[in-house]
């Protein structure tokens, strides 16, 4: 009986070791035209080596990998990074029971990642556009704070959320009822109150340390509420504050808050950013918007233009491009292509949908360099050309398909069959 148990245990151990070794296979992609999105620029006939989900070597003297793939000279780029959308939180906009991006009671603590659906049909469809990861943004509720972003890969796996509570979202600017001044005032007051509370706590701790007679109660730090911890994280620069605002006066007020409280500020929208580009560049604040935002949607966005992406980039601002509709995230590279047509270089456009997004949200991806997450895309041709397709895609070093529900539906309704038109074999 013991021998049987031992034999079974050995089989299990062998199976597990086989699975582990299969999952741990290293990969070398050779003979690629690598767009590194670094100072190295474009490397031809180059090799990148991947192991344990990360890039471990570029052009090594000797290739040591379990699997070697010949890219045949094709373009290899970092995986594109989507942002400022509700991917995984909304399946059908018109169906209320499939929407989890917002709630009336949501505030700064709102963590929408708890409702993220990696099996959403939008995920594989977005992969077809070369998207390997995404910054999902909650819609919030009545509060000016809409909650916190989270970052996912587009593997479709249940563990695809790899950064939770990533950045704080706040919606400023024009209001349909009331004054925009109130929210700006509230933001300043909350930052100021949190800063004063931190200063007071530090002084009390210092005083208690000196006073040996102080009782244990005074030495015990006060338990902070969840919203207080988040405000403290903003002040410490541990979380970016992503602020929706368009009008120049609102943007200037945000720059003042950044200077006064040393917060990690990111501007979303920024239609008037072109008017104060020097100040934004000097403050080193990134701007996120859509490359096709060329028509005013309000009195705050009268300066929207197709060439704003190029002009802001030339001014020294890190511009990140975003598609706000999750169901059209696939088109991110096409929007970048439109920015190229309006003055952006190809390398700048690639950075705007990879490295610049990663930098704004503190994601270890977006560049092909040793130590970065191995999110890579091999293209059939120029990524920004309409007819180009994704040949291969690796997320965390693992290859994923770009087949989607839309592909299956096309096959279903175009395949000849003896069954009625609405069916297929």
């Amino acid at each position: 009986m013991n021998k049987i148990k031992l034999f079974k245990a050995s089989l299990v151990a062998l199976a597990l070791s086989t699975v582990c070794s299969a999952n741990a296979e290293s990969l070398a992609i050779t003979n690629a035209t690598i767009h590194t999105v670094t100072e190295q620029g474009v490397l031809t006939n180059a090799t990148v080596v991947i192991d344990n989900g990360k890039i471990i070597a570029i052009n090594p003297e000797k290739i040591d990998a379990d699997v070697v793939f010949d890219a045949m000279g094709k373009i290899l780029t970092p995986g594109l990074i989507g942002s400022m959308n509700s991917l995984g939180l909304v399946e059908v906009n018109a169906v209320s029971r499939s929407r989890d991006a917002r709630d009336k009671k949501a505030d700064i603590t709102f963590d929408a990642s708890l409702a993220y659906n990696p099996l959403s049909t939008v995920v594989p469809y977005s992969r077809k556009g070369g998207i390997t990861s995404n910054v999902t943004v909650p819609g919030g509720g009545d509060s000016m704070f809409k909650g916190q972003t989270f970052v996912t890969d587009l593997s479709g796996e249940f563990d695809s959320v790899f950064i939770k509570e990533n950045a704080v979202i706040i919606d400023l600017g024009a209001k349909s009822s009331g004054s925009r001044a109130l929210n700006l005032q509230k933001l300043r007051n909350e930052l100021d109150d949190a800063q004063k509370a931190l200063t007071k706590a530090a002084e009390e701790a210092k005083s208690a340390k000196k006073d040996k007679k102080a009782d244990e109660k005074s030495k015990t730090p006060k338990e902070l509420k969840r919203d207080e911890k988040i405000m403290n994280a903003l002040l410490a620069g541990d979380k970016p504050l992503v602020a929706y605002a368009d009008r120049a006066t609102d943007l200037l007020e945000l720059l003042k808050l950044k200077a006064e409280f040393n917060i990690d500020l990111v501007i979303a929208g920024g239609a008037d950013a072109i008017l104060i580009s020097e100040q934004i560049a000097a403050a080193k604040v990134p701007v996120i918007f859509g490359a096709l935002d060329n028509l005013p949607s309000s009195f705050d966005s009268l300066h929207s233009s197709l060439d704003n992406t190029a002009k802001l980039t030339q001014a020294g601002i890190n511009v990140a491009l975003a598609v706000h509709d999750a169901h059209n995230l696939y088109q991110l590279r096409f929007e970048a292509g439109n920015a190229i047509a309006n003055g952006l270089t190809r390398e700048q456009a690639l950075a705007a949908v990879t490295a610049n997004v990663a930098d704004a949200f503190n994601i270890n991806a977006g560049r092909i360099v040793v130590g970065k997450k191995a999110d890579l895309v091999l293209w059939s041709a120029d990524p920004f050309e309409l007819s180009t397709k994704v040949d291969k895609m690796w997320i965390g070093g693992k290859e994923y398909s770009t087949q989607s529900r839309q592909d299956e539906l096309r096959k279903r309704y175009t395949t000849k069959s003896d069954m009625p038109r609405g069916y297929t074999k």
Side-chain angles (χ1 to χ4, degrees):
M1 187 68 179
N2 289 335
K3 289 184 178 179
I4 294 175
K5 287 184 178 179
L6 183 62
F7 177 69
K8 288 182 177 179
S10 299
L11 287 177
V12 171
L14 178 62
L16 288 174
S17 64
T18 303
V19 170
C20 291
S21 63
N23 289 338
E25 278 189 336
S26 56
L27 168 69
I29 303 171
T30 64
N31 193 26
T33 302
I34 300 178
H35 291 247
T36 65
V37 199
T38 69
E39 292 180 355
Q40 286 188 294
V42 181
L43 307 177
T44 56
N45 300 318
T47 297
V48 56
V49 183
I50 302 164
D51 196 14
N52 289 325
K54 290 188 176 182
I55 299 168
I56 62 169
I58 304 289
N59 282 337
E61 292 184 4
K62 180 182 178 182
I63 298 175
D64 183 13
D66 298 319
V67 179
V68 177
F69 173 78
D70 185 355
M72 302 179 66
K74 293 180 180 178
I75 293 174
L76 184 73
T77 71
L80 309 192
I81 306 175
S83 63
M84 311 311 292
N85 59 67
S86 58
L87 181 69
L89 297 180
V90 178
E91 189 66 23
V92 181
N93 283 314
V95 180
S96 61
R97 295 178 71 87
S98 74
R99 301 194 304 256
D100 292 303
R102 60 172 289 115
D103 192 286
K104 187 176 182 180
K105 297 179 181 179
D107 58 15
I108 194 171
T109 65
F110 183 37
D111 177 14
S113 70
L114 299 172
Y116 178 72
N117 178 21
L119 302 182
S120 167
T121 58
V122 188
V123 170
Y125 179 66
S126 298
R127 285 203 300 260
K128 295 177 73 66
I131 315 292
T132 57
S133 55
N134 186 70
V135 182
T136 300
V137 177
D142 292 342
S143 169
M144 64 178 178
F145 288 110
K146 301 306 177 184
Q148 299 180 77
T149 66
F150 59 94
V151 188
T152 73
D153 62 46
L154 266 67
S155 64
E157 307 287 351
F158 287 115
D159 61 352
S160 53
V161 176
F162 63 93
I163 306 180
K164 298 188 69 170
E165 301 176 316
N166 170 247
V168 174
I169 298 292
I170 187 169
D171 191 5
L172 301 171
K175 299 177 65 177
S176 58
S177 176
S179 170
R180 76 182 67 216
L182 186 59
N183 279 346
L184 288 167
Q185 184 179 12
K186 281 182 178 179
L187 176 58
R188 172 175 288 280
N189 290 344
E190 293 203 21
L191 289 170
D192 188 46
D193 290 344
Q195 186 66 72
K196 287 177 179 176
L198 282 174
T199 302
K200 182 180 178 182
E203 291 174 349
E204 288 178 349
K206 186 177 181 181
S207 175
K209 190 174 182 180
K210 288 182 178 179
D211 186 3
K212 295 182 180 180
K213 295 182 180 180
D215 58 33
E216 291 301 321
K217 187 176 179 180
S218 65
K219 294 180 183 178
T220 303
K222 175 188 173 184
E223 182 65 29
L224 297 176
K225 296 179 180 178
R226 290 184 180 87
D227 57 342
E228 293 174 328
K229 290 179 181 178
I230 295 170
M231 291 302 296
N232 288 350
L234 286 176
L235 291 170
D238 295 334
K239 288 180 186 288
L241 176 66
V242 182
Y244 284 107
D246 283 311
R247 201 165 79 175
T249 53
D250 296 335
L251 303 181
L252 288 170
E253 184 61 29
L254 285 167
L255 295 183
K256 290 178 184 177
L257 292 175
K258 174 180 170 58
E260 184 175 343
F261 297 101
N262 197 31
I263 56 176
D264 182 7
L265 176 66
V266 178
I267 293 172
D272 270 2
I274 195 68
L275 302 180
I276 54 170
S277 57
E278 290 185 9
Q279 294 95 314
I280 295 174
K284 297 181 179 179
V285 174
V287 177
I288 306 175
F289 60 84
L292 299 183
D293 294 344
N294 69 322
L295 293 175
S297 58
S298 70
F299 287 107
D300 283 6
S301 56
L302 297 177
H303 296 91
S304 295
S305 175
L306 290 176
D307 60 4
N308 278 357
T309 307
K311 288 181 178 178
L312 291 176
T313 301
Q314 291 160 9
I317 298 171
N318 278 349
V319 176
L321 296 178
V323 172
H324 302 292
D325 180 5
H327 292 80
N328 286 316
L329 180 55
Y330 165 85
Q331 299 182 23
L332 180 61
R333 67 187 180 99
F334 300 145
E335 294 211 6
N338 274 275
I340 292 170
N342 286 277
L344 211 61
T345 68
R346 274 174 163 72
E347 287 306 305
Q348 289 170 339
L350 183 57
V353 292
T354 56
N356 292 355
V357 187
D359 290 347
F361 291 96
N362 301 320
I363 305 169
N364 186 36
R367 293 178 175 86
I368 300 181
V369 66
V370 173
K372 292 293 183 184
K373 193 167 179 277
D375 292 349
L376 304 171
V377 178
L378 188 71
W379 303 89
S380 64
D382 183 342
F384 303 116
E385 290 292 337
L386 191 64
S387 60
T388 297
K389 295 181 180 180
V390 174
D391 267 3
K392 294 276 185 179
M393 170 181 286
W394 296 270
I395 299 175
K398 181 180 176 182
E399 186 176 349
Y400 282 88
S401 169
T402 60
Q403 289 297 300
S404 69
R405 180 173 180 267
Q406 284 74 9
D407 296 307
E408 295 302 319
L409 286 172
R410 181 185 62 221
K411 284 191 289 186
R412 174 180 174 180
Y413 291 112
T414 58
T415 301
K416 291 184 178 180
S417 171
D418 294 332
M419 298 177 72
R421 188 75 181 106
Y423 301 87
T424 189
K425 288 183 179 178

